Amino acid sequence: MIRTRAMRTALSFTAALLAVGGLAAAPAQAAVAAPAPVVAGARVRAATPAAQQVLTFLAAYRDAVEGGAETPRQVREQYLSPYLNYRLDQWATQHDADPVFRAQNVPADWSAQQVKEEEGYASVRLTELWSGGGSQDVWYTVRLTDLRIFDLGDQPAF
């Protein structure tokens, strides 16, 4: 467990440098796209590399779901861990819904905020906003060294 503010700050700084390629490159099997600028229709309340990576993933995933150049599976493989992809496939089968959006349709808007950082991982709360006025939180766990998304679900992992 990270116990001091200085250690948390150092980890955040290191993650930010990794995100823009300022330190060493991540291993090839763990490489992911660098965070892109905030997409239209998505808001960030805490501009951290982990929250930005979740927004970048969601924008690419939405484009794929809506018939973009890549399939949703290709986008998931680019940003998510293999085990998480396996779990999402199981969830989709059980719930007959999109496993990333946790619904049968695409949210109208969303925002992301990193709420916790611990032992090299960040917990990011994504709030999906629906056109009917409702909202839903989906929790992401992002590894800070390479910004790979390791978990997502209805409750925070930590």
Side-chain angles (χ1 to χ4, degrees):
M1 177 181 272
I2 300 170
R3 299 196 185 274
T4 68
R5 178 179 292 272
M7 290 174 70
R8 285 191 300 269
T9 301
L11 275 176
S12 295
F13 180 73
T14 301
L17 284 175
L18 282 173
V20 296
L23 291 178
Q29 69 273 18
V32 295
V38 176
V39 295
R43 296 181 306 264
V44 181
R45 288 184 281 168
T48 63
Q52 185 60 53
Q53 184 73 345
V54 169
L55 291 176
T56 300
F57 163 66
L58 264 259
Y61 188 78
R62 177 185 54 195
D63 289 346
V65 167
E66 293 177 344
E70 294 181 297
T71 67
R73 183 67 174 177
Q74 289 171 320
V75 173
R76 283 176 36 194
E77 288 174 352
Q78 181 181 356
Y79 289 89
L80 310 181
S81 71
Y83 183 67
L84 177 54
N85 270 314
Y86 169 78
R87 285 187 28 241
L88 292 177
D89 289 341
Q90 300 302 310
W91 190 96
T93 300
Q94 293 171 354
H95 295 90
D96 192 31
D98 185 282
V100 172
F101 295 131
R102 315 302 257 186
Q104 293 181 342
N105 53 353
V106 177
D109 199 3
W110 52 72
S111 65
Q113 179 181 21
Q114 181 174 319
V115 295
K116 192 171 186 180
E117 190 174 302
E118 192 170 290
E119 296 186 17
Y121 290 85
S123 180
V124 176
R125 179 180 56 232
L126 177 85
T127 301
E128 299 174 333
L129 305 169
W130 302 96
S131 58
S135 67
Q136 169 179 290
D137 287 341
V138 180
W139 293 85
Y140 285 74
T141 301
V142 179
R143 184 171 59 196
L144 293 173
T145 56
D146 61 2
L147 299 178
R148 173 75 66 185
I149 298 170
F150 265 78
D151 195 19
L152 71 87
D154 302 322
Q155 300 293 322
F158 61 93

